Amino acid sequence: MPTFTGVILAGGQGSRMGGQDKGLVLLHGQPLYQHVLQQLRPQVDSVLISANRHLDRYQLSGCKVITDTTQDYAGPLAGMLSGLRHSQGEWVAFCACDTPYVPHDFVMRLWQQRAGAPAVWIRSAERDHPTLALLNRELIDELHLWLHRGERRVMQFLQSCGGHSVMFNDDESTFRNINTPDDLTREERK
């Protein structure tokens, strides 16, 4: 088995959350990123947190906190590039900070069904989830060039490098994102 590094993507601007740092928004009294960390940590050898604000608060987790190498909030791909560059292992599992219920075995399932691809991501019954992905570090240079050209779409990058989705037939709520204050309110009521 290879060494897996997990990266929680928490470096966005939180525009749909009213500008709040989404990873630090409380769900059931705990920051969103902590829910993700609890699901991801047992699946990987180490965890990094990709953040661009409130670094001191993320460091309280005991995880190494990394930042984007670009200054313009280039989206999830910038966090992915930083995660690939800082990973000690060959394979890096990514998980968005706003997806608190990811499967407890998603990394292994992606690994087992990668079929030699350098990138795989989750596809559920309703849609693709490209920020729930497993990427090989061999993609660093390709991703750097992609971002340098001004490209920002995660799915397009993953497909362009020979990646493919892996079907997960889990309950759709497993992949629920908490993007807005309304999403958070609905989730708190459950």
Side-chain angles (χ1 to χ4, degrees), residues 49-125:
I49 300 174
S50 172
N52 292 308
R53 302 184 283 168
H54 308 108
L55 306 184
D56 55 334
R57 292 180 60 193
Y58 285 109
Q59 287 170 339
L60 294 174
S61 67
C63 297
K64 181 178 179 180
V65 179
I66 58 175
T67 58
D68 293 352
T69 55
T70 61
Q71 301 300 314
D72 60 350
Y73 285 97
L77 284 176
M80 289 176 153
L81 178 59
S82 186
L84 290 170
R85 286 182 170 156
H86 285 90
S87 172
Q88 297 298 310
E90 181 182 0
W91 288 92
V92 184
F94 293 94
C95 191
C97 70
D98 62 359
T99 313
Y101 308 114
V102 294
H104 68 280
D105 61 349
F106 89 93
V107 174
M108 188 55 58
R109 288 162 67 185
L110 288 174
W111 166 254
Q112 291 171 340
Q113 297 182 57
R114 74 190 187 291
V120 286
W121 64 92
I122 292 176
R123 166 121 184 107
S124 67

Side-chain angles (χ1 to χ4, degrees), residues 30-175:
Q30 187 176 37
L32 265 178
Y33 89 91
Q34 285 282 350
H35 292 273
V36 176
L37 181 58
Q38 289 170 3
Q39 294 292 98
L40 183 61
R41 183 174 268 153
Q43 301 185 56
V44 296
D45 298 285
S46 62
V47 178
L48 306 172
I49 300 174
S50 172
N52 292 308
R53 302 184 283 168
H54 308 108
L55 306 184
D56 55 334
R57 292 180 60 193
Y58 285 109
Q59 287 170 339
L60 294 174
S61 67
C63 297
K64 181 178 179 180
V65 179
I66 58 175
T67 58
D68 293 352
T69 55
T70 61
Q71 301 300 314
D72 60 350
Y73 285 97
L77 284 176
M80 289 176 153
L81 178 59
S82 186
L84 290 170
R85 286 182 170 156
H86 285 90
S87 172
Q88 297 298 310
E90 181 182 0
W91 288 92
V92 184
F94 293 94
C95 191
C97 70
D98 62 359
T99 313
Y101 308 114
V102 294
H104 68 280
D105 61 349
F106 89 93
V107 174
M108 188 55 58
R109 288 162 67 185
L110 288 174
W111 166 254
Q112 291 171 340
Q113 297 182 57
R114 74 190 187 291
V120 286
W121 64 92
I122 292 176
R123 166 121 184 107
S124 67
E126 291 184 6
R127 66 182 187 90
D128 286 289
H129 302 275
T131 58
L132 298 175
L134 183 66
L135 278 66
N136 190 285
R137 290 188 76 236
E138 73 184 42
L139 297 174
I140 290 173
D141 292 340
E142 196 171 340
L143 181 49
H144 173 80
L145 291 172
W146 185 266
L147 285 167
H148 185 71
R149 289 193 308 263
E151 300 287 347
R152 300 292 185 260
R153 288 179 264 197
V154 179
M155 280 291 297
Q156 283 187 340
F157 172 73
L158 296 175
Q159 291 169 338
S160 76
C161 66
H164 64 84
S165 64
V166 172
M167 188 66 191
F168 278 54
N169 291 314
D170 302 53
D171 185 292
E172 201 64 35
S173 65
T174 303
F175 310 107

Side-chain angles (χ1 to χ4, degrees), residues 3-17:
T3 299
F4 294 108
T5 300
V7 175
I8 298 173
L9 298 169
Q13 292 179 295
S15 55
R16 288 180 284 177
M17 192 61 80

